Amino acid sequence: MTETTFYYGLLIGFAVVALLTFPVLFFVTAPYGRHAREGWGPKISSTLGWILMEAPSPLAFAACYAIGDRKTDAASLIFLLLWEAHYVYRAFVFPFRRRGAQKDMPLSIVASGFLFNAINGYLNGRYLFSFAPAHLSSGAWPSDPRLYLGIALFAAGYAVNHHADRVLMNLRKPGETGYKIPHGGLYRFISCPNYFGEIIEWFGWALLTWSPAGLVFAVWTTANLLPRAISHHAWYKERFPDYPRERKALVPLIL
Ligand code: NDP
């Protein structure tokens, strides 16, 4: 079997698993953070868990860049910069900035995150730096409007995600592990602007890379985070009688 056959088989399988996982996550909320519960096997430190889950993404993507044959293309450098800007932070900075990190998380969640990110880093990196057709390697892509619209969406999603995560971090004093109602920014309208920003970011990525792997990743992100946002929202309303009634779960004014 050639690597290309393996690649497209894996990509299709990955997309199918995303579509199958989506409805399941409306009934089974991943057991970490506020939805942590017993019965999911042994646990490890959540700081280490986040590093192990996320590190395969920046590493696999960088490895694909290193073995690819498009290192000096302007488009390749833009892809590398954006991906690593997101994932170096998520894998190596975010885990240490979280407050309440003394909670443990199930090893099964860490293992599934590790596998997901390894596959996703490979699928995106290998395509963009080796398998992508001429539209990305011809040198014309840096003047294509899809690239700039995608970058704008990615940047907007990145800003929303980071602002929202920062608001959450600041809710707890060092050593605290409880929950409070977040306010400010898009929290005025929705319970999970960090998830909303993340989804926008990866649809921006799909557009700016114009790649099937980017699209599958955006679909996966929605499949993961939309049901989780609905669970978070229901949890807030149940937990806090004074929770703002007009707030939606994920999409301002709509959902
Ligand atoms: P959450 O919003 O559940 O939690 C983020 C952090 O804030 C956690 O440390 C959490 O503590 C804390 N926190 C959340 N709400 C409150 C509150 N009301 N009061 C005090 N502290 C609070 O996000 P996740 O942990 O699920 O995700 C973290 C980041 O990773 C997000 O930016 C998300 O977009 C991204 N992500 C991306 C995925 C993808 O598929 N691309 C999948 C999953 C996450 P605690 O852990 O104790 O609950």
Side-chain angles (χ1 to χ4, degrees):
M1 184 169 50
T2 64
E3 191 192 345
T4 325
T5 312
F6 168 79
Y7 177 91
Y8 284 104
L10 184 64
L11 181 65
I12 291 167
F14 201 51
V16 169
V17 177
L19 296 177
L20 295 176
T21 304
F22 185 43
V24 173
L25 290 179
F26 284 98
F27 301 98
V28 185
T29 306
Y32 72 91
R34 79 195 62 191
H35 304 292
R37 51 202 185 273
E38 293 306 316
W40 289 79
K43 294 180 181 173
I44 62 168
S45 135
S46 59
T47 303
L48 178 61
W50 271 99
I51 297 169
L52 292 175
M53 277 196 300
E54 303 295 322
S57 229
L59 297 179
F61 197 79
C64 291
Y65 173 77
I67 61 171
D69 50 11
R70 302 179 185 182
K71 289 195 193 59
T72 53
D73 287 358
S76 291
L77 294 170
I78 293 171
F79 301 151
L80 185 68
L81 179 78
L82 296 180
W83 184 275
E84 298 298 338
H86 179 93
Y87 270 116
V88 169
Y89 174 81
R90 177 70 72 229
F92 303 117
V93 180
F94 173 77
F96 297 101
R97 295 191 67 202
R98 296 165 58 244
R99 297 213 174 129
Q102 53 270 52
K103 292 180 185 169
D104 289 343
M105 75 196 301
L107 199 51
S108 51
I109 291 290
V110 176
S112 62
F114 179 95
L115 187 66
F116 173 87
N117 282 307
I119 293 174
N120 194 45
Y122 166 77
L123 287 175
N124 277 274
R126 201 70 179 121
Y127 183 85
L128 296 175
F129 302 128
S130 301
F131 298 157
H135 75 274
L136 294 181
S137 62
S138 65
W141 196 239
S143 59
D144 193 297
R146 281 171 291 185
L147 177 66
Y148 294 99
L149 191 55
I151 290 176
L153 267 183
F154 185 93
Y158 185 94
V160 167
N161 175 265
H162 275 245
H163 175 265
D165 273 346
R166 220 170 27 249
V167 168
L168 294 180
M169 280 165 203
N170 291 333
L171 287 176
R172 288 177 180 156
K173 297 193 181 73
E176 279 183 359
T177 55
Y179 294 90
K180 300 168 189 171
I181 300 178
H183 292 283
L186 282 183
Y187 285 105
R188 245 185 94 198
F189 304 104
I190 49 177
S191 293
C192 302
N194 52 348
Y195 293 171
F196 180 60
E198 182 101 20
I199 291 169
I200 291 176
E201 232 181 302
W202 297 116
F203 273 101
W205 175 260
L207 183 61
L208 78 94
T209 59
W210 204 250
S211 65
L215 181 61
V216 171
F217 181 25
V219 170
W220 249 119
T221 303
T222 311
N224 260 329
L225 297 184
L226 190 157
R228 193 167 179 83
I230 289 172
S231 300
H232 273 25
H233 187 61
W235 181 95
Y236 273 124
K237 288 201 294 189
E238 212 179 289
R239 175 69 67 104
F240 297 102
D242 55 339
Y243 197 68
R245 293 169 64 87
E246 67 289 355
R247 220 177 262 193
K248 300 283 184 189
L250 183 70
V251 185
L253 310 173
I254 297 174
L255 178 72

